Amino acid sequence: MGYCYTRDSGLFALADGMGGHPEGEVASQMSLQTLAAQFQQEARPTLKDPKRFLSEGILAGHHQLLRYAVERALLDTPRTTLVACLLQGREAWWAHCGDSRLYLVRGGRLVARTRDHSFVQTLIDQGEITEQEAIGHPRSNLLTGCLGMDVLPPIAQYRIDKLELGDVILSCTDGLWAYFNETELAKIVDSLTAAEACRLLVEQARERAEGAGDNIAVAILKASKLPSSHAPQ
């Protein structure tokens, strides 16, 4: 996970290398570095087309992984999830591929979140199981989208036109969100500082996993100050 910024724009992203494929840690690092390098090249000091930037930046990481596998004659391509959020002025854009999530909490309530590219999410969307039945599903680790996959990965995007004071943006891997319901997550991140919420969520996820949990990455942004105009700040 990491971030980079200019005076008027900020990019925050995290990635989760996939088990069952080679060099997951390389995949996650490479995808983030590729996205950050593109941000540093294009943000002058803002991005003219954030939606295009996120789509092209994530795809650039995907193609970088394919080249890496070919150059090293790997039998399989390293793979990773990725979720990224871009802030300019009072606007926010985010994009993701895989099952690392982003949540937007306002007034202690969840108002938006990413939808996983996963087998279980497909079952939910088709009405075959409920959100509650998805918890602990035996095939919850099967993804339908990730960087490094054999075909062009799906990239989902969302935009918030006007962030409000007190809004919270939470990004995390499945090693964290799998142990909380959405109401609980929203309450925790709204009632605590970003640092306090991160510490509490990680501690509780580890306790609930009882030694069987996955890697955890989490980033929380709280809107404690907002621009007074539409000019980027």
Side-chain angles (χ1 to χ4, degrees):
M1 58 181 291
Y3 65 92
C4 47
Y5 59 92
T6 67
R7 182 185 69 249
D8 296 330
S9 184
L11 173 70
F12 307 83
L14 63 82
D16 186 13
M18 293 176 57
H21 302 276
E23 303 187 38
E25 71 284 357
V26 172
S28 57
Q29 182 178 8
M30 187 176 295
S31 64
L32 292 178
Q33 288 177 338
T34 301
L35 186 62
Q38 189 159 325
F39 175 85
Q40 291 165 351
Q41 180 179 351
E42 296 187 22
R44 302 295 183 186
T46 61
L47 293 161
K48 295 181 179 179
D49 188 343
K51 183 178 180 179
R52 177 200 59 79
F53 163 78
L54 287 171
S55 178
E56 292 183 358
I58 293 174
L59 282 178
H62 166 71
H63 291 300
Q64 189 74 2
L65 293 177
L66 298 182
R67 286 191 292 270
Y68 179 87
V70 171
E71 291 169 357
R72 287 158 180 78
L74 300 179
L75 297 179
D76 190 12
T77 303
R79 304 186 185 196
T80 184
T81 69
L82 191 146
V83 59
C85 180
L86 178 70
L87 302 176
Q88 288 187 169
R90 298 187 69 165
E91 294 178 301
W93 295 260
W94 61 79
H96 85 288
C97 182
D99 66 351
S100 291
R101 292 184 179 179
L102 184 146
Y103 299 81
L104 175 64
V105 175
R106 176 173 292 162
R109 298 180 61 185
L110 179 71
V111 296
R113 81 157 172 87
T114 54
R115 310 300 294 179
D116 303 335
H117 296 117
S118 68
F119 175 76
V120 168
Q121 185 65 58
T122 300
L123 294 180
I124 294 172
D125 294 341
Q126 293 174 347
E128 297 186 26
I129 64 173
T130 65
E131 293 275 2
Q132 188 65 28
E133 291 170 337
I135 299 174
H137 193 282
R139 303 184 72 180
S140 60
N141 62 331
L142 296 181
L143 298 188
T144 57
C146 64
L147 275 65
M149 62 191 298
D150 297 334
V151 298
L152 203 64
I155 299 174
Q157 297 208 25
Y158 196 85
R159 176 182 176 180
I160 293 293
D161 292 328
K162 189 176 182 180
L163 289 173
E164 297 183 5
L165 195 65
D167 280 358
V168 185
I169 296 174
L170 163 69
S171 297
C172 61
T173 60
D174 63 330
L176 189 137
W177 63 253
Y179 300 99
F180 298 89
N181 63 51
E182 294 176 352
T183 300
E184 188 179 16
L185 277 178
K187 181 178 179 180
I188 290 173
V189 300
D190 183 68
S191 62
L192 301 175
T193 68
E196 290 169 344
C198 279
R199 285 193 293 268
L200 179 61
L201 289 172
V202 171
E203 289 172 1
Q204 291 192 358
R206 287 174 173 166
E207 289 176 3
R208 296 175 185 186
E210 298 180 341
D214 202 350
N215 294 332
I216 297 174
V218 56
I220 297 176
L221 310 175
K222 302 197 77 168
S224 58
K225 181 184 291 187
L226 291 171
S228 57
S229 69
H230 292 292
Q233 292 190 18

